[in-house]
Amino acid sequence: MESKVNYPFIYFLLESNMVFVYRIRTLNYLNASDLIDSNEWEAYELQHQTLFETFNHEDSKSIEDLRFWLEHDKLNDIVEIINDCIQKQRSVDRRLTTQAVHIVSSESAAGSVRVALAPPKHVIGFPDCFSIGPLWKLEEKRGQTFRNNWLFENINDGQEDVYQNKFTNTLREIEDISNHVPIYIWYGNNADEQCGLRFFLYLLRDKSNEIFLINTTEHSNANCATSHLSSQQLAQLFMNIKEKRPLTIQDRRIFQNEWETLSQTNDILRLWINNEIKGVPENYFDSLIIETIERLHNEQTTKDFIKTGAVITELLPLIEELPSVFFLECRIRFLVYSGVLALKGIPKSMRHYSVKIT
């Protein structure tokens, strides 16, 4: 596949004589679903006497009723080419200036922070849960591919088609941060956000910005994740820590080194235990899952199948640090595959199947 940029247009030679043209309308990074749903595509037939290198769509007539289909891998390649072009444009576009950047280990928490804080500000929410799945070499492409493959094979969250794009786009946003703006990292006392904190500081290791940490657990007196706090709570918390001092170079190096250690591990499940990130066995919650299903069976008149979503609902108040409801669903499927549980339905999501003890 050949491509070339005629900003704001990008040309793709997807077939021997067909040129597909995408128009960039905004400087927001895209994912695969954005392209599928987009009306910004036009197609042109490349005449035999015209070379792709010299083709200009303004000199040609587009093909009406455009319809085309792309394999997932090729679609991802196109997304990356377009986002590369957007990133180059963002680097010279002065409209992207902001007074502060806020980074959060959750898209939902990022939404609350956006509401909580007055403009101008830029909020980056990481589209991942760092307490589950491999973190090995996550700062490198090979580690990101390794993690993406594990998530694709194990986690039913409906994000498999856009996760890789979202992850890469968030890395781009962090890379795009101007050197003069202060950076605030929000996190709580749980494995997800503590891992995220170290990962973010590793990604920021070459930036000279002042970096401030906001521990939502310590300052809110609530033993929960940042995403569980309201916008009002987050706004008040931010007001209370405005005079906080930035991280020292020494502190930043400590967190960076801790990430480098963490990215050498092969753990699939992590918890925050005694103020440390601890890897625990994948089957850590299996006995609790089985006990919960047995209890639900005891409440039945006749032992019958139970909706997987109902099992997970029963588990939530029993787990102090919830890794991810999708990880719990993954473990329920494992117990099905290993013969501990029987299955009724199709396990494409937690609402599509039921289980019972065999």
Side-chain angles (χ1 to χ4, degrees):
M1 177 181 65
E2 294 184 63
S3 67
K4 69 174 186 176
V5 177
N6 179 17
Y7 191 83
F9 301 96
I10 304 183
Y11 301 165
F12 298 92
L13 185 63
L14 299 182
E15 299 176 19
S16 59
N17 67 331
M18 291 291 294
V19 178
F20 292 84
V21 179
Y22 181 82
R23 179 170 184 170
I24 296 174
R25 292 281 188 181
T26 75
L27 294 183
N28 296 323
Y29 292 126
L30 306 175
N31 57 49
S33 63
D34 295 325
L35 286 192
I36 294 171
D37 300 333
S38 174
N39 295 320
E40 301 301 333
W41 286 102
E42 289 185 340
Y44 298 83
E45 186 175 4
L46 192 64
Q47 301 302 318
H48 294 296
Q49 68 270 22
T50 306
L51 297 174
F52 177 66
E53 291 78 6
T54 59
F55 172 79
N56 189 319
H57 75 287
E58 294 176 343
D59 301 328
S60 305
K61 181 176 176 57
S62 64
I63 300 172
E64 295 183 1
D65 299 325
L66 169 65
R67 299 178 188 276
F68 68 100
W69 179 86
L70 292 172
E71 295 177 355
H72 182 69
D73 288 345
K74 184 170 285 188
L75 185 61
N76 277 333
D77 290 341
I78 290 174
V79 170
E80 289 307 301
I81 291 170
I82 294 174
N83 283 336
D84 280 341
C85 182
I86 290 174
Q87 186 167 34
K88 290 175 182 176
Q89 191 64 25
R90 284 167 68 115
S91 68
V92 299
D93 196 313
R94 300 304 177 189
R95 292 174 300 172
L96 294 177
T97 57
T98 183
Q99 286 187 358
V101 173
H102 300 262
I103 306 177
V104 199
S105 292
S106 159
E107 289 182 297
S108 61
S112 297
V113 172
R114 289 188 187 99
V115 174
L117 304 182
K121 84 282 184 183
H122 181 57
V123 182
I124 300 173
F126 222 91
D128 209 340
C129 178
F130 293 109
S131 63
I132 66 168
L135 297 181
W136 177 82
K137 297 293 183 186
L138 191 61
E139 68 279 4
E140 301 178 16
K141 275 290 183 184
R142 55 177 173 163
Q144 293 159 25
T145 300
F146 183 66
R147 179 175 176 81
N148 185 59
N149 290 339
W150 184 90
L151 292 170
F152 182 80
E153 293 168 2
N154 292 277
I155 301 300
N156 269 340
D157 63 355
Q159 295 291 311
E160 60 272 11
D161 291 335
V162 297
Y163 168 79
Q164 191 169 359
N165 297 146
K166 282 187 170 186
F167 191 99
T168 304
N169 289 347
T170 309
L171 296 184
R172 290 180 189 273
E173 286 195 72
I174 292 175
E175 185 180 335
D176 291 344
I177 298 173
S178 301
N179 286 326
H180 67 280
V181 299
I183 299 171
Y184 296 87
I185 302 178
W186 300 67
Y187 68 103
N189 289 344
N190 54 77
D192 174 21
E193 295 180 282
Q194 290 286 343
C195 291
L197 167 64
R198 287 152 178 79
F199 184 46
F200 303 150
L201 286 168
Y202 180 85
L203 296 176
L204 295 166
R205 65 193 182 281
D206 294 328
K207 290 190 175 290
S208 58
N209 308 61
E210 287 189 332
I211 299 178
F212 300 84
L213 302 187
I214 305 177
N215 187 317
T216 55
T217 301
E218 291 179 0
H219 292 283
S220 67
N221 297 317
N223 190 21
C224 58
T226 303
S227 59
H228 296 162
L229 300 179
S230 68
S231 296
Q232 292 79 6
Q233 288 174 301
L234 295 172
Q236 186 60 50
L237 196 158
F238 186 67
M239 290 295 295
N240 293 341
I241 58 90
K242 268 194 171 180
E243 301 303 319
K244 190 177 179 68
R245 292 184 178 181
L247 277 178
T248 65
I249 293 175
Q250 292 76 12
D251 287 337
R252 289 175 63 163
R253 284 177 181 160
I254 290 172
F255 282 116
Q256 292 163 23
N257 292 338
E258 288 177 356
W259 169 257
E260 290 175 346
T261 300
L262 196 58
S263 73
Q264 297 296 324
T265 62
N266 296 310
D267 300 314
I268 295 301
L269 177 62
R270 288 162 289 278
L271 295 175
W272 182 249
I273 301 173
N274 295 327
N275 294 321
E276 289 185 22
I277 300 166
K278 296 284 189 181
V280 297
E282 286 183 70
N283 64 358
Y284 186 86
F285 294 109
D286 287 9
S287 60
L288 181 61
I289 292 171
I290 295 169
E291 290 170 7
T292 300
I293 296 174
E294 288 176 337
R295 175 170 56 79
L296 292 173
H297 280 325
N298 291 335
E299 296 173 0
Q300 295 175 322
T301 304
T302 304
K303 179 179 173 182
D304 199 1
F305 285 95
I306 305 165
K307 284 286 186 182
T308 301
V311 175
I312 292 176
T313 299
E314 291 290 323
L315 286 167
L316 298 184
L318 304 177
I319 300 174
E320 183 176 354
E321 184 183 341
L322 181 68
S324 162
V325 293
F326 300 108
F327 181 79
L328 295 178
E329 190 272 331
C330 167
R331 294 310 303 173
I332 290 174
R333 274 186 286 115
F334 176 84
L335 293 171
V336 169
Y337 303 149
S338 59
V340 176
L341 300 178
L343 167 75
K344 185 173 78 171
I346 303 172
K348 60 181 180 179
S349 77
M350 64 183 72
R351 65 187 180 87
H352 283 93
Y353 69 104
S354 304
V355 294
K356 71 176 181 180
I357 302 290
T358 55

